[in-house]
Amino acid sequence: MSVKFNCYFPAEKPFFFVIKVDSNSMIVELLEEIAVELKDYGREFKRTDLHLFKTDVPTKPKGTLLERALQWLHEQPADSELDEMDSLSLAFPHGPHPINHLKLDIIVADAEVLEMVDGLGDPYDVYKRKVKKALNECLNNRLSLPSPSELAKKPEKLDEVFGGEEHGIHIGRPGGAPAAIFNPALAALQQSLGDLEQVDISEDEASQAANYIRCAVKFYASEDLHQKAIKELVDAAIGETGEWQRPVNMAHGHDITPDRCWRYDPFVLELKNTLGVYGDALLQAIIDYSRIVSEDEYKPFRETCNFPIVLIGVTANRLEISIAVCVGPIYVTKLLTLDLSFGFHASDNVIQLARVFKILSRHRVELKNYYRNFENSTPPRLSCLFPNPTPIDPSKPLPKLTYRQFLSRAGQPTPDLVDLGGCTTAMYVATLDDTSEEVIVKFTARYNEAAHHLLAKAELAPKLYFCERVVGDLYMVVMERVSGISVWQLQQDKTPIPEIVLTKVKEAVRLLHQKDLVFGDLRSNNILYVLVENRVVLVDFDWPGKDGEGRYPATLNRSTDMSNTWHKWVLPHGVMHKEHDLWLMEQLKVLCKPNV
């Protein structure tokens, strides 16, 4: 005898369907039938991907069924999940609900549905799921990258890999965010390598470094001979025996074989005999890393780990050290390049290399501890995609906050992974842990804290909560989030610009000029109007400088289409003057209309 079960799959695109099976079937057979049915809806699952729950959720009203099904899963009774090894008659001794009862018999869930259940009550849950989707698309796209060997044979593919935003791998061309702002262990390594003089070395450590240089300056008939000559020296210097030539299995192409990996993979080393396209060890290490972290094996960790790593390139006698993170886009920061040699400066070179080796050995332990602790921790979902900076001055701790959203270049929240390859700033929405207040967090290379405080005190700028330098040579700025609309947006919407905008901007400029400060960037996108408070604030204090002394960024755009944006004497790296602000205010005056 056949029976029919009302089934519901409460995903983002939910499905209601009826499954007809023999009453003597096992639950595992029911699972297989459901997997086939879902395939007809365009969702392909393995049987092991699905969970079945016995339920009695009413099917009406239809408009709230998704919310009610998810809430039921959140509060599900004990033992409601069906065991695939049971029979239908055991799980449903009285059979499915009568048709006229209008109730679900089974709720079907996969990992996505269970994630939606976990996110109930989280106002950012939908946003997080969109970010996760964007993250997976970004990393899956890298599975088609050419292998290091293909790249060596066809150097024109370098542009395909590094030349655009498609793969999002940034090695400083054109730019990219400092890797150190995303991981404290990498920040600590960067600080140590930036202060080599403070590292004391022993006679044995100096001897190891000297032996390495003796091997590095030789010429070898093959890379195998080069590797054989240095591998024991490298292992001794790092402090752990690495796995040389260990293949990394790739499901979507040729396996990758970095020249050296350590357990937990905190370091990857590539070795080449000569400089040039065919011998760029660091580029090959970056490709290795990019493809490895994109593999399905690491998919379960994408939401909680940004895979911090140290990349070591050994090309002939050159030693290059970089750090990298994967936050969707991959950001690589080159920390150090040593061209090793003997000769007149042999002693200095030995001491410098010995210090570098000692630092690498010490920070290898820190990175290994990071990965070990990560295995036993449960960080918030997607927190790894946001910065986790380290203050330059430890006496000025960072504010405790929780990142919530990415901001686009236009300053709007977006679930897309913002690629910082061509950016000069990065901005995020966060909440302060102690007050839950929403704030803007900004990372930028220059910032005028005094100018911001001056206008914030007059309520002509957002409140400024924090402004300090972090490792990566950036300022971390935390400020009030103002719910305003920019004058630029008002223009785009063809909305009249209230006269109060000009009045308040004049007041702000007057206060700045009294302190001999030039704002410099009074463009319409940096002036916000808050309608509900009838308030005007200036934002973006990256440029302000002292009148007659401060300078505009050397990257200021004076192209033809920007010619009417600036005073004629506003130039890249040009000196800032008060008259430049006054000229921009005249342009604003034309835009403003009296209140109607």
Side-chain angles (χ1 to χ4, degrees):
M1 183 180 72
S2 296
V3 288
K4 294 181 179 180
F5 290 92
N6 290 340
C7 302
Y8 189 63
F9 181 57
E12 286 189 17
K13 292 184 178 179
F15 308 121
F16 172 83
F17 53 95
V18 177
I19 287 288
K20 182 178 180 180
V21 291
D22 190 280
S23 60
N24 294 318
S25 298
M26 300 291 289
I27 297 295
V28 66
E29 295 174 289
L30 176 64
L31 264 169
E32 290 171 350
E33 290 293 328
I34 288 174
V36 171
E37 184 72 19
L38 289 175
K39 187 175 181 180
D40 290 341
Y41 284 92
R43 300 296 301 268
E44 192 160 349
F45 296 101
K46 297 177 183 176
R47 172 173 55 82
T48 52
D49 293 335
L50 298 175
H51 303 266
L52 304 185
F53 297 88
K54 181 180 178 181
T55 186
D56 59 356
V57 174
T59 58
K60 303 292 183 180
K62 181 180 177 181
T64 62
L65 181 55
L66 175 60
E67 290 77 9
R68 289 185 289 110
L70 292 174
Q71 190 63 41
W72 183 91
L73 284 173
H74 184 66
E75 302 168 353
Q76 60 180 282
D79 302 325
S80 60
E81 184 169 1
L82 300 177
D83 187 334
E84 66 175 22
M85 298 179 68
D86 287 343
S87 65
L88 275 177
S89 58
L90 179 63
F92 295 89
H94 305 295
H97 294 103
I99 294 177
N100 61 349
H101 283 198
L102 300 178
K103 289 188 175 183
L104 298 177
D105 299 302
I106 296 171
I107 291 180
V108 184
D110 67 342
E112 175 191 321
V113 171
L114 296 178
E115 188 174 86
M116 291 171 66
V117 172
D118 290 340
L120 287 176
D122 180 357
Y124 296 97
D125 179 61
V126 173
Y127 177 84
K128 289 176 181 176
R129 283 188 272 119
K130 289 180 179 178
V131 171
K132 179 182 177 181
K133 181 179 179 181
L135 177 64
N136 287 332
E137 288 176 353
C138 177
L139 269 67
N140 292 341
N141 188 40
R142 293 202 189 104
L143 294 172
S144 61
L145 284 174
S147 68
S149 59
E150 290 174 311
L151 204 60
K153 294 173 184 174
K154 297 181 179 179
E156 66 273 11
K157 286 186 173 287
L158 283 170
D159 180 61
E160 176 187 331
V161 177
F162 300 110
E165 293 188 359
E166 180 182 359
H167 296 299
I169 303 173
H170 300 289
I171 57 174
R173 297 168 60 187
I181 69 171
F182 294 97
N183 187 274
L186 296 184
L189 173 61
Q190 180 167 335
Q191 282 185 298
S192 295
L193 287 176
D195 198 12
L196 288 174
E197 298 299 321
Q198 301 302 312
V199 180
D200 292 325
I201 58 170
S202 66
E203 291 86 347
D204 286 344
E205 289 164 343
S207 178
Q208 284 180 351
N211 288 336
Y212 178 89
I213 295 178
R214 289 189 185 96
C215 291
V217 298
K218 291 181 181 179
F219 291 86
Y220 296 91
S222 69
E223 288 177 3
D224 287 342
L225 291 174
H226 188 178
Q227 182 184 112
K228 184 178 180 180
I230 70 166
K231 69 178 184 179
E232 289 184 5
L233 295 170
V234 172
D235 286 343
I238 297 300
E240 181 179 353
T241 301
E243 298 182 55
W244 293 80
Q245 296 292 336
R246 174 171 65 85
V248 179
N249 296 325
M250 302 291 288
H252 296 79
H254 301 297
D255 290 350
I256 285 179
T257 308
D259 285 306
R260 188 191 196 281
C261 286
W262 284 260
R263 193 180 175 203
Y264 293 100
D265 292 340
F267 291 6
V268 166
L269 180 147
E270 277 283 3
L271 178 148
K272 291 295 167 188
N273 246 353
T274 58
L275 293 170
V277 173
Y278 287 85
D280 196 325
L282 186 59
L283 280 184
Q284 293 212 17
I286 293 168
I287 291 294
D288 289 344
Y289 170 71
S290 302
R291 296 187 70 197
I292 289 169
V293 298
S294 300
E295 273 296 303
D296 287 345
E297 178 184 354
Y298 296 96
K299 193 172 183 178
F301 309 110
R302 290 177 181 176
E303 295 180 67
T304 50
C305 181
N306 54 31
F307 307 105
I309 199 164
V310 179
L311 303 171
I312 303 174
V314 175
T315 307
N317 63 320
R318 174 172 291 177
L319 178 69
E320 297 175 280
I321 299 171
S322 294
I323 54 177
V325 291
C326 176
V327 290
I330 289 175
Y331 300 116
V332 181
T333 303
K334 294 184 179 182
L335 299 184
L336 185 71
T337 299
L338 298 179
D339 287 315
L340 302 168
S341 65
F342 279 130
F344 290 96
H345 299 289
S347 180
D348 291 341
N349 289 341
V350 167
I351 292 170
Q352 185 180 35
L353 180 62
R355 287 170 170 163
V356 169
F357 278 157
K358 187 165 187 174
I359 288 170
L360 288 177
S361 179
R362 185 170 72 223
H363 289 281
R364 170 191 61 83
V365 175
E366 291 183 18
L367 269 172
K368 287 187 70 172
N369 288 338
Y370 165 84
Y371 279 106
R372 283 172 175 156
N373 293 335
F374 164 77
E375 291 180 339
N376 301 315
S377 64
T378 54
R381 282 172 56 204
L382 303 174
S383 60
C384 62
L385 304 184
F386 295 97
N388 185 9
T390 300
I392 293 288
D393 184 350
S395 69
K396 297 178 179 178
L398 307 180
K400 294 181 179 179
L401 47 79
T402 301
Y403 290 93
R404 299 298 186 183
Q405 294 173 305
F406 305 109
L407 289 179
S408 68
R409 297 186 187 188
Q412 298 302 312
T414 175
D416 296 328
L417 299 173
V418 178
D419 193 305
L420 302 173
C423 298
T424 56
T425 62
M427 293 194 297
Y428 307 88
V429 176
T431 52
L432 296 173
D433 289 353
D434 55 349
T435 64
S436 298
E437 178 188 351
E438 279 198 340
V439 293
I440 299 296
V441 183
K442 181 176 186 176
F443 293 87
T444 181
R446 59 185 274 185
Y447 205 79
N448 195 313
E449 181 181 4
H452 192 149
H453 272 305
L454 178 66
L455 294 193
K457 187 177 180 180
E459 297 187 345
L460 294 169
K463 296 173 186 174
L464 182 61
Y465 298 126
F466 184 82
C467 181
E468 293 293 340
R469 296 195 72 79
V470 296
V471 178
D473 202 21
L474 297 178
Y475 283 96
M476 178 183 180
V477 183
V478 181
M479 70 188 85
E480 170 193 14
R481 187 183 186 191
V482 176
S483 299
I485 185 169
S486 70
V487 169
W488 179 87
Q489 189 61 54
L490 291 174
Q491 289 177 270
Q492 301 305 304
D493 297 340
K494 295 182 170 43
T495 301
I497 299 170
E499 194 172 18
I500 190 176
V501 171
L502 180 61
T503 301
K504 291 298 183 179
V505 171
K506 282 182 177 180
E507 183 181 346
V509 170
R510 178 181 59 81
L511 290 172
L512 290 169
H513 287 189
Q514 284 177 350
K515 298 293 185 180
D516 279 337
L517 292 171
V518 180
F519 190 78
D521 195 5
L522 276 175
R523 287 178 292 176
S524 56
N525 55 309
N526 291 330
I527 305 168
L528 301 186
Y529 174 59
V530 186
L531 177 62
V532 293
E533 302 175 30
N534 200 29
R535 178 187 175 196
V536 178
V537 296
L538 298 189
V539 295
D540 199 347
F541 288 80
D542 298 17
W543 288 17
K546 192 171 180 62
D547 179 44
E549 295 180 12
R551 290 184 177 272
Y552 291 101
T555 52
L556 184 143
N557 187 355
R558 285 291 313 205
S559 59
T560 303
D561 59 341
M562 298 286 288
S563 59
N564 294 325
T565 302
W566 307 109
H567 184 281
K568 64 180 180 179
W569 293 118
V570 172
L571 302 170
H573 195 56
V575 177
M576 305 177 76
H577 293 286
K578 294 177 182 178
E579 64 186 272
H580 302 160
D581 284 347
L582 300 177
W583 185 88
L584 283 168
M585 276 206 303
E586 287 300 313
Q587 314 311 304
L588 179 63
K589 187 176 181 180
V590 175
L591 300 176
C592 293
K593 305 292 182 184
N595 288 319
V596 180

